[in-house]
Amino acid sequence: MKFKAEIDVMPLDALLDPQGKAVTSSMKNIGLSMIEGVRIGRHIRLFVEAGSKSDAESKVDEACKKLLANQIMETYVFTVEEA
Amino acid sequence: MKFKAEIDVMPLDALLDPQGKAVTSSMKNIGLSMIEGVRIGRHIRLFVEAGSKSDAESKVDEACKKLLANQIMETYVFTVEEA
């Protein structure tokens, strides 16, 4: 079966996010000063061929740990559903 | 009231995504050949001060259009919930 995974990789809350800070400042300049606390990470969409949903989840988790997220600086969450 | 928005900005399906292609190839090299079709975009989390949920949604939509997404090359979706 084919499964679709949606993964969010975000900088850890304890770390500075300079790109997010820059965007927060820019919001004020374009008249959107009610927006604050912007943090920017990555969104990854992929497809997995697997026998079951739990099998697909373990493959996605392995991909996150090995390649997609740097766990020293980032945290990840994902959802898996049948494609 | 304070609302939290979670925004996904992804490259349009019609466009190449070289970063995603590179990651798809790398999956094969680390023994995860069952993973394919990787596409990589941005995930943005932010907070909005607004009177109502629909007001917050319109501010987030304005931020996406003006600053966060390039609508020529990217598409965006977001969810807003009370923080």
Side-chain angles (χ1 to χ4, degrees):
Chain A
M1 284 185 294
K2 203 170 185 180
F3 294 87
K4 182 169 88 164
E6 302 272 353
I7 305 162
D8 291 331
V9 180
M10 294 297 287
L12 289 176
D13 283 344
L15 295 180
L16 284 176
D17 172 16
Q19 197 186 357
K21 285 261 186 251
V23 169
T24 305
S25 305
S26 300
M27 290 295 177
K28 290 173 193 17
N29 302 332
I30 60 168
L32 290 168
S33 57
M34 71 295 288
I35 290 180
E36 56 175 29
V38 181
R39 289 184 80 81
I40 300 183
R42 293 191 301 288
H43 185 77
I44 301 158
R45 181 178 303 145
L46 54 78
F47 295 90
V48 201
E49 188 67 44
S52 68
K53 190 176 169 181
S54 64
D55 184 24
E57 283 170 345
S58 86
K59 292 302 179 193
V60 172
D61 195 60
E62 189 181 343
C64 288
K65 287 205 167 66
K66 282 189 176 170
L67 189 62
L68 299 173
N70 169 0
Q71 287 190 280
I72 297 171
M73 298 175 63
E74 295 168 329
T75 177
Y76 64 88
V77 290
F78 63 84
T79 59
V80 170
E81 63 180 37
E82 221 171 309
Chain B
M1 285 186 294
K2 204 170 185 180
F3 295 87
K4 181 167 88 163
E6 303 272 353
I7 305 162
D8 292 330
V9 180
M10 295 298 286
L12 289 176
D13 284 344
L15 294 180
L16 284 176
D17 173 16
Q19 198 185 357
K21 285 262 185 252
V23 169
T24 306
S25 306
S26 301
M27 289 296 175
K28 289 171 195 17
N29 302 332
I30 60 169
L32 289 168
S33 56
M34 71 295 288
I35 290 180
E36 57 174 29
V38 181
R39 288 185 80 80
I40 300 183
R42 294 192 300 289
H43 185 77
I44 301 158
R45 181 178 302 144
L46 54 79
F47 295 90
V48 202
E49 188 65 44
S52 67
K53 189 176 170 182
S54 64
D55 184 24
E57 284 171 344
S58 86
K59 292 303 179 191
V60 172
D61 194 60
E62 189 181 341
C64 288
K65 288 205 167 67
K66 281 189 176 171
L67 189 62
L68 299 174
N70 169 0
Q71 287 189 281
I72 297 171
M73 299 174 63
E74 295 167 330
T75 177
Y76 64 88
V77 290
F78 63 83
T79 60
V80 170
E81 62 180 35
E82 221 172 309

